[in-house]
Amino acid sequence: VSRFEGVPMAPPDPILGVSEAFKADKSDLKLNLGVGAYRTEELQPYVLNVVKKAENLMLEKGEYKEYLPIEGLAAFNKATAELLLGADNPVIKQGLVATLQSLSGTGSLRLAAAFIQRYFPEAKVLISSPTWGNHKNIFNDARVPWSEYRYYDPKTVGLDFEGMIADIEAAPEGSFVLLHGCAHNPTGIDPTPEQWEKIADVIQEKKHMPFFDVAYQGFASGSLDEDAFSVRLFVKRGMEVFVAQSYSKNLGLYSERIGAINVVCSAPGVADRVKSQLKRLARPMYSNPPIHGARIVANVVGDPTMFGEWKQEMEQMAGRIKNVRQKLYDSLSVKDKSGKDWSFILRQIGMFSYTGLNKAQSDNMTDKWHVYMTKDGRISLAGLSLAKCDYLADAIIDSFH
Ligand SMILES: Cc1ncc(COP(=O)(O)O)c(CN[C@@H](CCC(=O)O)C(=O)O)c1O
């Protein structure tokens, strides 16, 4: 008898498992609107031209494959902090930012969770309701308690701002508040600048610690600076902040696993101590991060021409998704005779649209229409082409009514 007899089969991941089911579907009508991964109008994966350029340069240079330091590639860490905060941000000049390259957004979140568990064992993390499917797994496995703050209002298909503020206010002082920097996943609903000011007020009043998850910088609006507004607002107020970053979407480096955890501290010398303890946590977790993606980011950001080309390609990707969003809205508005107001689709931003379809309706989308999506009603517009919008609209209308 095997020693592993007691090991049960794990359920498929609510997001990544959708792609597995999609691959198994033989229908040529099938559409993968599950995983948040950019596709072209031809529904093909996309390697940015600027990434290919950087990789050709790197190949010509014939670079080494030695271990990186635990904290990652120094040129990447400099570039990623400057992209997030702005190169001329005083906190960078004053050495107040601890930055560690880590295994993309997920690895950065997990490393920060381990730090919180070790140095703030009494604190809990507040996460939005709903939020990205893996956030709860990360904090559960890091043994960090969490609770939810209201975020999505099904009645208005918008932000429950009063509920959000009330729940953040009611949380024990010194809680960590997990915030999506831009392009909230799965709702696509972001606070307005005025609402971000109010969120900063209540977090400051309650001495909470803001913890931003920035997985879509530049991908939401097409502008790196615009999408960093919320983080820069909190830093400008002198608040200490955690920020996890990812280059999976905005630079298309999904499987390179390139991201960073940044901790903005409010006193000199503290950042060095925080960085040293993040390194101490990373070493037994994965020792040191992969070099390839870090070099691509450092090369792209370090070369003004390539940096410019990247910004153009980001605008193109964000632009394609905006066009698809508009076309889906148009198709639904023309086809649906029920009088339902679909304008929420246009008010949402980033890769996703939170349709309001419940689990049974989402199942119908898959079982009858071969449209693959997450069971919380989220569809990834990045996996949709203009050509398929009419078909998707038919599927949504059929599933809703
Ligand atoms: C808010 C948020 N944070 C972090 C991540 C982690 O991305 P990394 O690739 O680890 O940097 C994602 C990716 N969420 C996408 C992609 C698939 C997934 O990992 O769930 C999604 O929600 O479909 C995300 O949406």
Side-chain angles (χ1 to χ4, degrees), residues 13 15-16 34-37 103-109 131-135 138 180 182-186 213-216 244-249 253-255 257-259 351-352 374 378 380:
D13 181 82
I15 295 174
L16 300 180
V35 69
L103 307 185
S104 213
T106 304
S108 302
L109 288 159
T131 194
W132 173 47
N134 210 20
H135 278 150
I138 290 168
H180 296 232
C182 65
H184 183 270
N185 177 1
D213 181 355
V214 178
Y216 299 92
Q245 290 174 283
S246 165
Y247 290 89
S248 289
K249 285 84 179 197
L253 297 180
Y254 303 91
S255 51
R257 313 310 294 142
I258 176 68
M351 219 174 215
F352 306 108
T374 46
R378 181 192 90 172
S380 169

Side-chain angles (χ1 to χ4, degrees), residues 162-220:
E162 288 62 40
M164 175 182 186
I165 294 295
D167 292 344
I168 293 174
E169 201 145 41
E173 207 163 85
S175 296
F176 286 74
V177 184
L178 188 63
L179 299 160
H180 296 232
C182 65
H184 183 270
N185 177 1
T187 66
I189 300 161
D190 284 355
T192 62
E194 299 71 30
Q195 288 174 329
W196 274 123
E197 293 279 2
K198 190 94 179 52
I199 294 163
D201 289 344
V202 68
I203 286 177
Q204 239 168 338
E205 281 151 28
K206 294 290 298 200
K207 299 187 180 56
H208 290 335
M209 175 79 78
F211 182 169
F212 282 96
D213 181 355
V214 178
Y216 299 92
Q217 185 182 357
F219 203 93

Side-chain angles (χ1 to χ4, degrees), residues 275-342:
K275 184 165 183 172
S276 74
Q277 293 299 345
L278 283 166
K279 285 169 62 178
R280 197 163 137 240
L281 285 159
R283 172 65 170 147
M285 213 186 270
Y286 56 82
S287 184
N288 45 79
I291 199 164
H292 191 66
R295 278 190 175 135
I296 293 173
V297 176
N299 279 300
V300 167
V301 175
D303 174 296
T305 309
M306 284 204 278
F307 191 28
E309 285 169 5
W310 176 29
K311 286 192 266 192
Q312 279 170 359
E313 287 192 88
M314 228 170 340
E315 274 183 51
Q316 285 158 12
M317 291 193 288
R320 189 184 90 71
I321 293 182
K322 283 177 196 153
N323 292 341
V324 150
R325 197 181 276 284
Q326 181 67 50
K327 177 77 173 77
L328 177 59
Y329 168 75
D330 296 343
S331 301
L332 284 164
S333 303
V334 164
K335 289 168 173 281
D336 187 13
K337 306 300 177 205
S338 73
K340 180 177 169 60
D341 175 8
W342 294 99

Side-chain angles (χ1 to χ4, degrees), residues 81-96:
E82 291 179 356
L83 275 175
L84 179 67
L85 300 168
D88 55 358
N89 196 310
V91 293
I92 293 179
K93 290 191 174 57
Q94 293 158 22
L96 297 178

Side-chain angles (χ1 to χ4, degrees), residues 67-118:
Y67 284 129
L68 277 175
I70 298 171
E71 67 269 25
L73 183 71
F76 165 79
N77 285 343
K78 179 175 183 298
T80 202
E82 291 179 356
L83 275 175
L84 179 67
L85 300 168
D88 55 358
N89 196 310
V91 293
I92 293 179
K93 290 191 174 57
Q94 293 158 22
L96 297 178
V97 188
T99 300
L100 241 83
Q101 175 192 336
S102 191
L103 307 185
S104 213
T106 304
S108 302
L109 288 159
R110 183 63 188 268
L111 186 56
F115 184 91
I116 293 168
Q117 198 281 329
R118 178 167 290 180

